[in-house]
Amino acid sequence: MKVCICERTTIYQLIHICFEQLNIKPYVAEVGVLRGENASKLLYELKPSFMWLIDKWEKMNSNNLHPFSDYPFYIQNIEVYKEYFGGPLNEQETFDNLLNETKQKFIEFQNVKIIREDSIKSIDILKNDLQKINKKYLDFVYIDANHQYDYVLRDLMYWHKILSDNGLIQLNDCCFSDAGAKQNLGVLYAVTEFTKRTDFFPVILTNTDWSDIVLAKRNSIISQKIHDIINMSNIPYVEVPHQLLPSMKIVNGSQRSNISFLL
């Protein structure tokens, strides 16, 4: 696993090179879209044949952060994040506005389809669309929906089944940090469990305070391509055994945040 000092967009550029070298014009999905900012970057950098944008755009409550009747003292109230979402999270209007903002970003793109549905229920819609163009599999999925452990694991377990042999999964917020703990992030723990249950393993982890991670199938051609391209690039990285991933945490220094694997 290469721990890279770079931003998410650089990873997209690297993946695009991999797909180009394998003569793949990818079919892409993003699960969890919000206002479409990351989807715009995926469209620009990956240059997909087609892209599906999936989100419920549905009002939220405390259950999106925890299963308890009252907030535990160590988890922040969800309304702390209302400025990020552009309004109160318990009002549907906030999410209708986010959906409309997303629609405006992609109104001119015929190769983008917006699906307002649950992440799992949307898979059948996507499969039907793929069947119409004589395809069975996606090449890339970005998972950024509910960040609780059970939801992330469920998304991984379902979505990896419709990926090609050289398909990739990317997730963000795959970290443990003080700020992440306040949001009860379960991404790191779900990814760890997922890699034990399947033949996927982490190939890239970004050294940022809200780390992105890229997963590929073991012994796949694209996993080797990723390693080769990074080796030939100017991206700074440190290679560590992927088995260390569960020990990963963010350490906040005076100049920047860094990933640590110290036990």
Side-chain angles (χ1 to χ4, degrees):
M1 176 175 69
K2 286 180 163 59
V3 181
C4 299
I5 301 177
C6 65
E7 297 300 321
R8 184 185 305 166
T9 301
T10 303
I11 299 301
Y12 297 159
Q13 294 166 354
L14 184 154
I15 290 172
H16 173 64
I17 294 170
C18 289
F19 283 142
E20 271 197 324
Q21 291 189 1
L22 294 173
N23 199 28
I24 296 171
K25 191 169 183 184
Y27 287 80
V28 171
E30 182 178 43
V31 183
V33 180
L34 200 61
R35 55 177 52 87
E37 291 177 335
N38 185 60
S40 295
K41 294 175 183 177
L42 287 171
L43 183 65
Y44 181 79
E45 299 293 352
L46 295 187
K47 299 173 175 53
S49 294
F50 202 88
M51 183 167 68
W52 290 263
L53 304 181
I54 296 149
D55 201 312
K56 291 176 72 174
W57 284 285
E58 183 178 84
K59 65 181 180 180
M60 300 166 64
N61 55 44
S62 61
N63 289 336
N64 290 92
L65 288 187
H66 64 81
F68 312 112
S69 57
D70 298 312
Y71 272 93
F73 72 90
Y74 52 86
I75 299 176
Q76 286 179 326
N77 190 300
I78 199 169
E79 286 302 318
V80 171
Y81 311 106
K82 65 181 180 181
E83 288 188 14
Y84 177 75
F85 284 83
L89 278 70
N90 61 353
E91 293 183 7
Q92 186 56 46
E93 182 181 4
T94 300
F95 293 89
D96 290 340
N97 290 338
L98 290 168
L99 172 59
N100 289 333
E101 189 176 338
T102 301
K103 286 180 176 179
Q104 288 304 310
K105 282 185 173 72
F106 300 98
I107 194 169
E108 297 180 359
F109 295 94
Q110 299 300 311
N111 63 334
V112 177
K113 180 175 180 178
I114 295 173
I115 302 175
R116 189 175 193 174
E117 185 54 273
D118 174 83
S119 62
I120 305 305
K121 292 179 181 178
S122 64
I123 291 176
D124 287 336
I125 299 172
L126 193 145
K127 281 182 176 179
N128 186 57
D129 290 345
L130 286 171
Q131 189 175 30
K132 290 177 181 177
I133 54 176
N134 296 315
K135 277 191 69 70
K136 291 184 178 180
Y137 302 108
L138 289 174
D139 302 294
F140 178 92
V141 59
Y142 194 98
I143 296 178
D144 190 20
N146 189 312
H147 280 19
Q148 280 189 268
Y149 168 84
D150 286 311
Y151 287 93
V152 181
L153 181 59
R154 184 184 69 158
D155 284 340
L156 287 166
M157 293 301 294
Y158 277 83
W159 279 92
H160 90 277
K161 290 183 175 294
I162 61 169
L163 279 176
S164 63
D165 287 341
N166 285 308
L168 299 172
I169 303 171
Q170 187 165 341
L171 306 94
N172 78 323
D173 299 340
C174 185
C175 61
F176 178 85
S177 64
D178 292 340
K182 292 177 182 178
Q183 297 180 41
N184 200 28
L185 295 183
V187 181
L188 174 61
Y189 314 106
V191 167
T192 299
E193 178 70 15
F194 174 68
T195 59
K196 293 178 181 178
R197 294 184 181 221
T198 67
D199 62 347
F200 279 78
F201 77 114
V203 289
I204 304 172
L205 183 69
T206 62
N207 186 18
T208 55
D209 51 354
W210 301 101
S211 305
D212 266 59
I213 193 165
V214 179
L215 309 174
K217 287 186 177 181
R218 297 176 189 274
N219 303 316
S220 61
I221 296 173
I222 199 164
S223 65
Q224 186 58 53
K225 282 279 184 190
I226 288 172
H227 285 298
D228 292 344
I229 290 170
I230 293 177
N231 285 340
M232 293 185 293
S233 76
N234 61 357
I235 299 173
Y237 74 87
V238 174
E239 193 146 15
V240 301
H242 65 82
Q243 292 88 348
L244 288 178
L245 182 64
S247 302
M248 178 267 214
K249 63 181 178 180
I250 304 297
V251 177
N252 296 313
S254 59
Q255 300 298 317
R256 57 160 292 148
S257 300
N258 283 289
I259 288 175
S260 172
F261 295 95
L262 290 177
L263 298 174

